Amino acid sequence: MKNEVELVVYGAEVLCPSCVNLPSSKEQYEWLQAAISRKYGTEGINYKYIDIYNPPEEKPYEEFAERVIEEDMFYPVVLVEDEIVGEGNPRLKTVYKALEERGFEPQSS
């Protein structure tokens, strides 16, 4: 593995209007974390969940949370480093691809 990677999920407690039949942002965050940990282990990936309506007072998180609201993005929005890899209903395949591009390899069973 090359180094530490940050995976950030931006979401809200309220479901986005177009995501009515999907799990909540927090549930999808937990699901992603579990699926990624099973495939790549727990080392090197730092997970962060950001509530778009109550982001931490750290500039990059605050600014992106505002962007999600202003641009009417479907949430959760998943970022690996600063790359958007999922929006609304994130696909594991896309998230896995972004991690592998950053040097992560699936663990052998």
Side-chain angles (χ1 to χ4, degrees), residues 56-70:
E57 292 181 11
E58 294 173 55
K59 197 169 188 147
Y61 302 119
E62 252 181 340
E63 287 176 352
F64 195 83
E66 261 178 49
R67 183 176 158 200
V68 172
I69 295 167
E70 287 172 6

Side-chain angles (χ1 to χ4, degrees), residues 40-95:
Y40 300 99
T42 56
E43 298 295 313
I45 303 172
N46 298 314
Y47 299 91
K48 189 169 227 151
Y49 178 81
I50 306 291
D51 184 320
I52 60 174
Y53 296 109
N54 191 18
E57 292 181 11
E58 294 173 55
K59 197 169 188 147
Y61 302 119
E62 252 181 340
E63 287 176 352
F64 195 83
E66 261 178 49
R67 183 176 158 200
V68 172
I69 295 167
E70 287 172 6
E71 294 179 15
D72 287 327
M73 297 172 119
F74 298 123
Y75 46 87
V77 178
V78 180
L79 274 71
V80 172
E81 290 304 302
D82 292 325
E83 178 189 356
I84 297 173
V85 296
E87 188 180 333
N89 187 14
R91 302 274 180 242
L92 278 176
K93 210 173 190 179
T94 310
V95 176

Side-chain angles (χ1 to χ4, degrees), residues 7 9 23-38 47 76 78 88-93 95-96:
L7 186 141
V9 176
S24 72
S25 296
K26 194 74 166 182
E27 289 169 327
Q28 289 192 53
Y29 166 73
E30 291 166 354
W31 167 76
L32 274 171
Q33 199 170 357
I36 292 166
S37 295
R38 275 193 305 277
Y47 299 91
V78 180
N89 187 14
R91 302 274 180 242
L92 278 176
K93 210 173 190 179
V95 176
Y96 289 165

